[in-house]
Amino acid sequence: MKISYNWILEYLITDKKPEELDTILTNIGLEVEGMEDWISVKGGLRKVITGEVKTCKLHPNADKLFLTTVDIGSGDHLRIVCGAPNVKAGQKVAVAIPGAVINLKGENFEIKRSKIRGEISEGMICAEDELGLGDSHEGIMVLPEDTPVGIPAHEVFHVEYDTVFEIGLTPNRIDGGSHFGVARDLNAYFNMFKPSSISLPSVEEFKVDNDSRHIPVVIENESDCIRYSGLTISGVDVKESPEWLKNRLKAIGLSPLNNIVDITNYVLHESGQPLHAFDADKIAGNKVIVRNLPEKSKFITLDEEERELSSSDLMICDVEKGMCIAGVFGGSGSGVTDQTQNIFLESACFNPVAIRKTARRHDLHTDASFRFERGSDPDITVWALKRAALLMKQLAGGTISSEIVDVYPRKIEKQVVKVSYDNINRLTGKEINRKDIKTILASLDIVITDSDRDTFTCTVPTYRVDVSREADIIEEILRIYGYNNIEVPNKVNSTLSFFERPNKEKVINTVSDMLSGAGFTEIISNSLNPGSWYRESPDFDNDSLVMLANPLSSDLDCMRQTLLYGGLSSISRNINRQNPDLRFFEFGTCYFLKKGQHPENIVENYLEKLDLDLFITGTETPENWNNITRKTDFYIIKSAVEIILEKLGLDCDSFNITERKQDYYTEGLELSIKGDLIAHFGKISKKYLEKQEIKQDVFYGHIEFDTVLNKLKQITISFSELPKYPSVRRDLALLVDKEVRFDQIKKLSFRTEKDLLRQVGLFDVYESESLGKNKKSYAVSFILRDDKRTLTDKIIDKVMKKLVEVFEKEIGAQIR
């Protein structure tokens, strides 16, 4: 949300600079995400000065150029070559002197002292478009004869300089969704130090001129239309808005349209109350009806797009048709045009839930829906009407031709909250002066109606839709008082707590620390995904998708079933920003709809599962002169997964390893224990990479972390002292069939020698036609150790002989 500094100063008296307000706003809960300078004229007319053309004659070397001398009040006359056909001696003009930056056809051009066709030119006499004051380029801009010479042009053209705050407004703080709302919070802060007051602009001058154009209002859907106010103004002149109004809107990023529409936008951003102006002559039957139209009714909105309505969409209608999607978007057939002479002005309060659903359903997000779906103030509708009507009479003429029609079926009562001083002290951690508490609440329009020694009762204004409990009142006190004013205590209170083993958070932190130390970066991806990702893939069960009832957009309409897509999106984003060597990990929850439904307990219908996913792509190590650059491969992701499982205490030798057949894998393996899937990993297929526009190999590892945590409960941690006796290594070169895996050799070795064998490793694989058809050679190392004595050659040879015999018998191995 954009907030103009100059606009705030219309309500608030302060000498604070924008940079100071930046910090104050953030401290009181209106976080400033950015600040930028705004100028009503591009470039601000810097180094542009008024001057008078003293002489003008034809250029000796060009037919269409003139040599001029211009007085800019500095004493010496500037020699300027000018190509404008309307330049004449005696004219008052705007002169860009050397150093000025002029915008020519969308590109900035710095004025310099130069030679043009052999003649010195010391500046430039400017046209409207070059100054940013218009679109004309037919000739230079001639100023009025009484314009003083030698004054900055920005003083002549009243250039406005402003600072615009970009405020990250949280959904609960819509009371700060206007310039007055922001000024009100600032005033509450300043009131802590010096008494001050603030109020909305007065509308006491409002009066009805006649009642010749009364348009009655009927609310058929009272649950979605809380309050509806309106009046008519006749005989208006729709035209361009004055500069001050256009500047206010331009500063916050709005494009001025005409005086009527601009006034409605102005009042919206001033007070937070959306307004809508209808062409009164287009209201059939001279009656406004707030109702719902039948399902699948057609309606053309202001953007000329035909939309299919839901029967839940609240509409503003006349007796024949819909005119506007209430609180969201106007219709093309009833809006204000240049030919409009009579208008009906609407100021209403709608049900936030209904407006939010309609806006999401039609993917329409407007300034009005932004306010309504967060909760607007029902008590400000009439004030906003009067404010807008007075501005329209001032800027568009006309007469107020009806009494205000105000339909308010069920009045919204103000919240009454009882607050304890002890609870204020307990929750804030400090005993705040009671006088300060009352000052803060009064500044926020929260009225204390009753109080005693220990408690007080207060009434909350209707625009504070987020304040309904004692804790909310205390939060309001604290944010204005200042979180930074709460001292850090000298002692820390804590309680002993017991955690079941394994401690889930501790395990996650252990793994995270290990991965971070290994060069991985943790990512957090969106838990909302496009449902199309899952429906287009055979890897996922569409029946278990958890779909959102009211998605933010069609691209985020279901809960994720895997962390894979989020990781690939992060990889694609980084590669596109020239960061191709990546190692990511993510802990995240995935969501599933269970097969059997439990209508009596809806929570039982869903399953949440914690996963850990790893992503590796690019090169293994950064490019450097003293090492060989090697691309990541399947074995790096395999090693990463196994190291994590070993770190947690699982024995990887006990895993059952099988091929993982998955559409998103080109090649993959899975690890399981007693039928329980523990992990899988592999190389992502080209089809999945192309969806994310990734053109390099990506290796992916997935660990079923909930399953791992359950397995850890079954593990008993034991201690053994370091071995006293040395280990011995022996190597064998085994000629085996190509189908034989090293894993078979490893398991067979440990099954054969359970006492002395400690490790089995593969340090070379050799394949050649000279070995025989479908043969390969494994170079395998064996580490032997006896924890009770030093091994002798006799014992070692006996063990190795037994292993060779088993290899020959079980897998047909030959010793090379």
Side-chain angles (χ1 to χ4, degrees), residues 55 77 149 173 292 362 404 488 583 688 695 713 716 736:
T55 64
H77 293 178
V149 171
R173 287 301 315 280
N292 300 83
H362 296 289
I404 292 177
V488 177
R583 291 187 175 212
Y688 274 74
K695 297 179 181 178
K713 295 177 181 178
T716 301
V736 296

Side-chain angles (χ1 to χ4, degrees), residues 52-57 68-69 86-92:
E52 181 179 0
V53 180
K54 290 298 187 181
T55 64
C56 180
K57 62 181 180 179
T68 67
T69 57
N86 65 327
V87 63
K88 294 178 183 179
Q91 291 174 332
K92 297 293 181 64

Side-chain angles (χ1 to χ4, degrees), residues 497-508:
S497 56
F498 172 77
F499 295 96
E500 290 188 6
R501 293 183 179 274
N503 184 330
K504 179 179 175 181
E505 297 302 323
K506 186 175 180 181
V507 172
I508 290 175

Side-chain angles (χ1 to χ4, degrees), residues 520 580-583 615-621 629-637 667 683 696-700:
F520 282 79
D581 303 325
L582 305 167
R583 291 187 175 212
F615 302 86
I616 300 177
T617 186
T619 58
E620 185 178 0
T621 57
T629 301
R630 188 165 73 93
K631 290 186 176 181
T632 54
D633 56 29
F634 178 88
Y635 296 100
I636 295 176
I637 193 69
E667 52 185 5
K683 180 180 179 182
Q696 62 188 52
D697 291 339
V698 176
F699 297 91
Y700 168 63

